[in-house]
């Protein structure tokens, strides 16, 4: 395999990772990395750190799997202490991340709990800060996505849960984190290309992602004078358990990534460098922005 660490080796992005058709099994939400076929690349062997987050203290939601797992691996290898949050049913995926990173000498902990609960969001921030001796990075990656063909089949319960998990949790976590973050701290949210080019079958989900873009811009303006920056990453199709666990119909999972110019889905590790950049001091003049990682479909 071509090593991404050898900067003199040219890597063709179209063939670096698998493209459709995919034959991964259907899962029940929230899904697990264990059942993804082919397995996803979260940077386990492909991400190399360079001390860009040395000494930083990061809380990462959704850190058990997918993009959040890749962010956790990257941040730990860049020198940050890390606390990941996940749902209680995802303990196995979370344990795998913790064991791997502890084995590399990183300071990492997992805290299970449901972000749809305001009291849990507050206690998560408190416990994370306690575990790390402070908090100066909040990365909101957790999110849920359930496709529905028709507004008639979209229940109030689903609409509510999607907004609670994707938007309310952001409000609660940012509020709790900002109360203790020093100047120089950074928040990175996770939007989606769905905020700009919504699918008909993702009415509730796409709406939450558009809300996240506006939330990011407004909060960035609000906290700029405190020396805190707020940005977002907006992925296009990325190979994670989100899609075969109800995020898309299985016939769309089969062709996942075919719709972008690079003709394949991205891998979680390909999103991680943007989170590192936006969390680190290197992006000190960037705030209120949403950066795309889409395989070639422009955001707006
Ligand atoms: P994933 O399933 O691996 O990660 C999503 C995580 O969200 C889960 O692991 C779970 O821990 C967490 N989560 C969901 N509901 C929760 C709740 N109520 N409480 C606590 N945690 C909860 O999938 P992923 O694709 O890596 O998703 C990460 C983020 O990326 C999501 O915000 C998703 O909307 C966004 N995104 C994904 C894609 C894609 O194609 N995979 C594209 C654009 C945006
Ligand atoms: Mg998961």
């Amino acid at each position: 395999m071509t090593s991404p660490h050898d900067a003199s080796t040219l890597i063709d992005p179209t063939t670096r990772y698998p493209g459709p058709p995919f034959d991964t099994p259907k899962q029940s939400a929230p899904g697990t990395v264990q059942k993804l076929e082919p397995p996803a690349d979260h940077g386990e062997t492909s991400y190399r750190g360079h001390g860009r987050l040395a000494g930083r203290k990061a809380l990462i939601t959704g850190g058990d799997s997918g993009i959040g797992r890749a962010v956790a691996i990257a941040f730990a290898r860049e020198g940050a202490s890390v606390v990941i949050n996940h749902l209680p049913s995802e303990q196995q995926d979370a344990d795998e991340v913790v064991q791997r990173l502890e084995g590399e000498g990183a300071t990492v902990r997992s805290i299970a709990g449901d972000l749809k609960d305001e009291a849990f969001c507050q206690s998560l921030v408190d416990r994370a800060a306690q575990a790390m001796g402070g908090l100066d990075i909040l990365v909101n990656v957790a999110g849920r996505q359930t496709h529905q063909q028709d507004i008639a089949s979209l229940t109030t319960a689903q609409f509510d849960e999607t907004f609670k998990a994707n938007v309310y949790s952001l409000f609660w976590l940012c509020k709790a984190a900002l109360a203790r973050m020093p100047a120089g701290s950074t928040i990175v949210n996770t939007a989606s290309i769905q905020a700009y080019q919504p699918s008909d079958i993702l009415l509730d989900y796409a709406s939450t992602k558009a809300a996240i873009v506006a939330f990011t811009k407004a909060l960035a303006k609000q906290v700029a004078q405190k020396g805190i920056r707020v940005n977002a990453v907006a992925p296009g199709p990325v190979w994670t358990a989100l899609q075969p666990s109800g995020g898309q119909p299985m016939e769309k999972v089969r062709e996942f990534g075919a719709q972008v110019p690079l003709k394949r889905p991205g891998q979680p590790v390909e999103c991680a460098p943007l989170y590192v950049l936006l969390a680190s001091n290197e992006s000190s003049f960037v705030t209120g922005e949403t950066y795309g990682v889409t395989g070639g479909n422009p955001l707006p």
Side-chain angles (χ1 to χ4, degrees):
M1 195 183 124
T2 335
S3 168
H5 305 309
D6 181 356
S8 66
T9 308
L10 291 179
I11 296 178
D12 181 341
T14 63
T15 52
R16 182 171 179 198
Y17 289 108
F22 294 108
D23 194 19
T24 193
K26 188 171 165 53
Q27 303 189 33
S28 51
T32 167
V33 298
Q34 322 287 336
K35 292 189 184 152
L36 265 183
E37 186 47 48
D41 185 356
H42 309 95
E44 289 87 347
T45 58
S46 59
Y47 190 92
R48 183 186 290 177
H50 294 91
R52 297 163 72 191
L53 298 172
R56 299 290 299 271
K57 296 159 183 153
L59 169 59
I60 303 164
T61 67
D64 60 297
S65 60
I67 297 168
R69 178 184 279 210
V71 172
I73 291 173
F75 277 36
R77 293 204 185 143
E78 296 290 355
S81 296
V82 165
V83 170
I84 61 167
N85 162 253
H86 54 92
L87 285 163
S89 63
E90 299 177 302
Q91 194 64 50
Q92 197 190 343
D93 278 0
D95 287 347
E96 220 178 71
V97 175
V98 171
Q99 280 159 19
R100 173 180 291 278
L101 295 178
E102 274 181 347
E104 296 174 9
T107 306
V108 54
R109 247 199 89 172
S110 74
I111 300 177
D114 191 332
L115 298 174
K116 299 199 295 302
D117 178 347
E118 179 173 9
F120 173 72
C121 288
Q122 287 166 350
S123 82
L124 173 64
V125 168
D126 290 345
R127 287 164 64 192
Q130 208 168 20
M132 296 186 287
L135 180 71
D136 54 47
I137 301 176
L138 170 63
V139 187
N140 293 299
V141 185
R144 52 161 281 151
Q145 175 184 328
T146 312
H147 73 91
Q148 295 292 349
Q149 293 299 331
D150 196 306
I151 193 169
S153 55
L154 176 57
T155 62
T156 300
Q158 176 177 326
F159 197 86
D160 205 39
E161 282 194 21
T162 308
F163 271 81
K164 282 269 157 55
N166 297 7
V167 182
Y168 279 67
S169 69
L170 216 69
F171 165 50
W172 293 327
L173 290 167
C174 288
K175 192 173 185 172
L178 283 165
R180 53 168 79 243
M181 280 179 149
S185 298
T186 43
I187 296 176
V188 188
N189 297 324
T190 305
S192 167
I193 187 133
Q194 287 290 326
Y196 305 89
Q197 297 174 31
S199 300
D200 53 350
I201 60 170
L202 296 176
L203 190 58
D204 55 339
Y205 175 84
S207 304
T208 65
K209 293 299 173 178
I212 291 169
V213 173
F215 181 96
T216 300
K217 288 182 188 170
L219 189 62
K221 284 185 186 166
Q222 193 182 116
V223 299
Q225 278 305 305
K226 294 184 175 147
I228 297 174
R229 296 181 297 108
V230 188
N231 291 288
V233 174
V238 180
W239 191 242
T240 73
L242 192 71
Q243 310 301 345
S245 64
Q248 300 282 348
M250 288 312 285
E251 62 273 17
K252 290 215 171 176
V253 174
R254 191 174 166 75
E255 295 308 317
F256 201 57
Q259 71 276 28
V260 307
L262 291 179
K263 300 286 179 218
R264 65 167 177 88
Q267 292 292 326
V269 69
E270 296 179 288
C271 302
L274 276 182
Y275 287 88
V276 171
L277 173 67
L278 293 173
S280 78
N281 290 328
E282 292 165 23
S283 58
S284 52
F285 201 52
V286 180
T287 193
E289 294 288 354
T290 300
Y291 281 17
V293 49
T294 66
N297 283 346
L299 290 183

